[in-house]
């Protein structure tokens, strides 16, 4: 197990190098002189001043030297300063990562808790009303654009009904006597973002769970279990469900990129102070050091999310042995 | 009498009510895009500042937007962007994904591992972050948006085609082609590519839906097709600022996207069930 994790970590190294090259390359594809954006866009400057700035920022060096300089700094946690606020990029990102992880984890939990029972009931009562409703819901969920769904939820639950907040992550300035009301306050702010971010994942997983369950129910060992006189409840819970659940763990790994990527949209709409919102802000301010760092950190989150799913798979499936 | 494979598939497809419905919706969408100028009740570009944000009326069936333009006409013209983006993006991503998938699957070995690591790297990038970055760096235009969506959207295609080619290359007819001295290029183009067409058609159909949603998402941030050209995405962007007062501005473009994507997904699923009996493409 340890050996497997170490091997996976080693495999991550070339991928990280590739990601850093890509991050760096995209920024340097930009027309004009991206590194000098602040100077060239803000003021009238002389050629001498520009040349001095270029030398100061190392922009007069060949591109691969610039890359190695950036990479060696990057690996040491030196991610530069934000062009707009002047604060260190690393601080800005570390402040926001917990919020993105909270949102992604809550969404993952929401998807799992709902999709597994719905998919299973759907399979067990094939062609029933519940099954048809679940299938229709899943098709609708996969087709709804989440950014639009977010606005519809805000219209209904925030504007018309006034039940849930439309933006933010907690009630600002509120004081709580103990942790109970505080958690409740946080949860209220999580509901709408989680619903929108999790919608397509939920729809996809319901379909997956239903398909997997139907497949498992046709297996010989289910017939054997029934034949030896086990109760239906035990057959379903112990023999069928456990096997149908296995592929779900892998699928969860596939959803990690979608969650991180989707956070840009959802966090921007709901004013959720995470990395996705930071990304959108950075892009609109053309804050290149920040854009580069957020891109790279997003990729790191995805890689480790996938690693987590792979390791989880080893735990849930005793047949898989990685040595 | 011999029943051809395509005849059998067609019959199977026709039995799938949802697939047929999706196909009809898709054809209607394409017709709307083609004949937009005949169907639209008003000029989608005509600004009327005296009649801003007016609600439903006989002249403006779906009301007017922040500049007094007819929402229905803009929706109808917006379908052109979606249809174009859908086809072009899928064309690009299938070309890249198909090439990489076929080469990786056919040659195997070191070529395969290198190409698949490339896929891993691109997948590890949060795609929407990447899109935002690139669109912000380059000027947003319909061409840039289409190229960027296509160039970042081929990883799934490459993986599926690769795994398909891995099994195709073991077939006897490939061995036969090699035995008569066909070159690698010829085998890939003449023998392997045709065997992947069915899977490509299904992937392309579902890919169109994905491209339409992603373009609209960029448009939603004001980074898609730039105004004044109407697109469903930039209509949502323009409606966002006033959506508390004029909810129809955000409801209808979203509904248009939803119905379109639903129809295309139904069509894609129907095609998969009819064409791909071995289910190379997994059901979601």
């Amino acid at each position: 197990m340890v050996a497997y994790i170490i091997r996976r970590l080693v495999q991550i190294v070339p991928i990280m190098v590739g990601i850093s090259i890509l991050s760096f390359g995209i920024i340097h594809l930009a027309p004009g002189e991206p590194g000098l954006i602040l100077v060239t866009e803000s003021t009238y400057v002389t050629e001498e001043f520009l040349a001095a700035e270029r030398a100061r920022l190392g922009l007069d060096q060949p591109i691969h030297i610039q890359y190695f300089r950036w990479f060696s700094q990057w690996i040491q946690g030196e991610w530069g300063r934000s062009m707009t606020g002047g604060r260190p990029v690393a601080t800005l990102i570390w402040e926001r990562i917990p919020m993105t992880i909270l949102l992604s984890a809550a969404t993952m939990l929401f998807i799992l808790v709902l999709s597994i029972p719905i998919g299973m009931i759907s399979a067990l009562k094939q062609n029933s009303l519940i099954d048809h409703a679940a299938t229709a819901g899943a098709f609708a969920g996969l087709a709804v654009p989440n950014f639009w769904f977010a606005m519809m939820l805000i219209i209904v639950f925030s504007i018309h009904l006034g039940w849930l907040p439309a933006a933010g992550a907690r009630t600002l300035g509120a004081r709580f006597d103990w942790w109970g009301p505080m958690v409740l306050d946080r949860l209220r702010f999580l509901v709408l973002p989680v619903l929108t971010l999790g919608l397509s994942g939920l729809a996809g997983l319901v379909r997956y769970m239903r398909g997997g369950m139907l497949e498992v129910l046709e297996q010989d060992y289910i017939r054997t279990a029934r034949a030896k006189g086990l109760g239906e409840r035990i057959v379903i819970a112990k023999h069928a469900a456990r096997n149908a659940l296995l592929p779900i763990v892998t699928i969860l790994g596939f959803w990690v990129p979608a969650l991180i990527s989707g956070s840009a949209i959802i966090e921007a709409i709901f004013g959720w102070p995470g990395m996705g919102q930071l990304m959108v802000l950075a892009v609109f301010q053309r804050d290149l050091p920040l854009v580069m760092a957020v891109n790279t950190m997003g990729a790191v989150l995805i890689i480790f999310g996938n690693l987590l799913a792979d390791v989880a798979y080893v735990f849930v499936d005793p047949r898989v042995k990685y040595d | 009498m011999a029943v051809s494979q395509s005849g059998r598939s067609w019959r199977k497809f026709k039995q799938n009510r949802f697939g047929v419905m999706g196909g009809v919706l898709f054809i209607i969408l394409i017709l709307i895009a083609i004949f937009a100028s005949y169907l639209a009740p008003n000029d989608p570009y005509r600004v009327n500042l005296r009649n801003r944000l007016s609600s439903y009326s006989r002249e403006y069936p779906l009301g007017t937007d922040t500049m007094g333009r007819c929402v229905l006409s803009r929706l109808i013209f917006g379908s052109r962007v979606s249809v174009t983006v859908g086809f072009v993006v899928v064309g690009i991503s299938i070309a890249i994904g198909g090439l990489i998938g076929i080469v990786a699957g056919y040659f195997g070995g070191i070529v395969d591992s290198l190409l698949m690591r490339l896929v891993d790297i691109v997948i590890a990038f949060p795609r929407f972050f990447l899109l935002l970055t690139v669109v912000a760096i380059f000027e947003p235009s319909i061409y840039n948006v289409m190229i960027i969506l296509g160039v970042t959207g081929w990883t799934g295609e490459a993986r599926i085609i690769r795994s398909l080619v891995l099994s195709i290359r073991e077939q006897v007819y490939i061995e036969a082609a090699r035995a008569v001295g066909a070159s690698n290029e010829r085998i890939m183009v003449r023998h392997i590519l045709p065997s992947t067409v069915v899977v490509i058609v299904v992937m392309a159909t579902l890919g169109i839906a994905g491209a339409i949603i992603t373009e609209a998402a960029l448009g939603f941030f004001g980074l898609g097709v730039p105004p004044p050209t109407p697109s469903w995405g930039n209509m949502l962007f323009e409606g966002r600022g006033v959506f508390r007062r004029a909810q129809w501005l955000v409801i209808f473009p979203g509904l248009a996207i939803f119905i379109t994507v639903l129809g295309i997904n139904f069509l894609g699923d129907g095609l998969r069930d009819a064409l791909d009996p071995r289910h190379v493409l997994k059901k979601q």
Side-chain angles (χ1 to χ4, degrees), chain A residues 130-148:
Chain A
I130 297 177
D131 182 27
H132 288 306
T135 305
F139 262 107
L142 286 171
V144 172
N146 57 7
F147 46 91
W148 178 69

Side-chain angles (χ1 to χ4, degrees), chain B residues 169-242:
Chain B
R169 72 162 183 192
E170 305 300 330
Q171 303 287 318
V172 186
Y173 62 89
I174 301 298
E175 208 177 307
R178 213 173 282 144
V180 297
S183 66
N184 286 332
E185 293 75 33
R186 190 182 163 83
I187 294 177
M188 283 191 276
V189 174
R190 298 295 293 269
H191 300 287
I192 290 187
L193 185 62
S195 313
T196 61
V197 162
V198 160
V199 168
I200 286 180
V201 166
V202 177
M203 267 190 315
T205 311
L206 295 170
I208 289 174
I212 289 176
I213 286 199
T214 317
E215 186 277 323
L218 284 176
F220 181 80
F221 282 103
L223 295 170
V225 178
T229 309
S231 81
W232 296 341
N234 69 27
M235 289 176 75
L236 282 172
F237 173 68
E238 285 163 18
R240 251 175 97 185
V242 290

